[in-house]
Amino acid sequence: VIVVTAGINVGGSATTGDVVVVSSNGATLTKTDGFSYQNAGTITSVSPTSGQRGTYVTISGAGLFAGGTNVSAITLANITAEVVDANSSTIIVRAAAGFTSETTGDVVIVSDVSSFLVKSNGFK
C-alpha cells in the first residue's frame, strides 16, 4: 500500500507543496515542491439557467480553466454539453440531447489538467 500526500495550502492561494510517498513498511520518498496548488476559480453566473437541447448557455466567472489551459468537458445537470467557445472568464456551450424531463443539476467544468469547478444547481 502506498499513500501519497501533498503539502498543506494554508492560505488558499497558488503555491507549491511537497509530495511524500509512504510505503506500507514505513519507507518514505519526498519530491520537494512536487505539487502545485492553483488559485480556485469561480463560476459567477450561468445564463440562461434552463433550456433544452440546442440551447446556448454562457458560463461566466474567473479562472474557469481551474489551473489548466483549456476545458476538457462541461456538464449541465449531468448531461455533457458541447463547448462552442472558451476562455478563462467566459465559456459558451450548447446543451446536448439527453434531458428526458426537467431536472435541476450542477454545472461542472473539467479542465485539461482534470481539475474542476462546480456551480451547484446551476442548470435545469
Side-chain angles (χ1 to χ4, degrees):
V1 173
I2 297 176
V3 176
V4 179
T5 58
I8 298 171
N9 184 9
V10 178
S13 61
T15 186
T16 58
D18 297 344
V19 175
V20 180
V21 179
V22 181
S23 72
S24 59
N25 68 1
T28 63
L29 178 64
T30 301
K31 170 68 175 165
T32 303
D33 292 335
F35 186 85
S36 295
Y37 289 96
Q38 302 297 318
N39 287 323
T42 56
I43 299 172
T44 56
S45 68
V46 177
S47 180
T49 58
S50 64
Q52 57 192 2
R53 179 178 152 212
T55 301
Y56 285 89
V57 179
T58 300
I59 303 166
S60 301
L64 296 179
F65 293 160
T69 59
N70 211 336
V71 173
S72 65
I74 296 182
T75 58
L76 304 172
N78 292 321
I79 304 294
T80 301
E82 173 193 355
V83 178
V84 175
D85 191 28
N87 63 55
S88 64
S89 61
T90 304
I91 299 173
I92 300 170
V93 298
R94 185 168 53 198
F99 295 101
T100 56
S101 63
E102 184 175 313
T103 181
T104 300
D106 299 342
V107 173
V108 179
I109 302 170
V110 181
S111 78
D112 58 348
V113 294
S114 298
S115 54
F116 61 92
L117 297 175
V118 178
K119 175 85 169 173
S120 295
N121 296 320
F123 192 79
K124 63 178 177 177

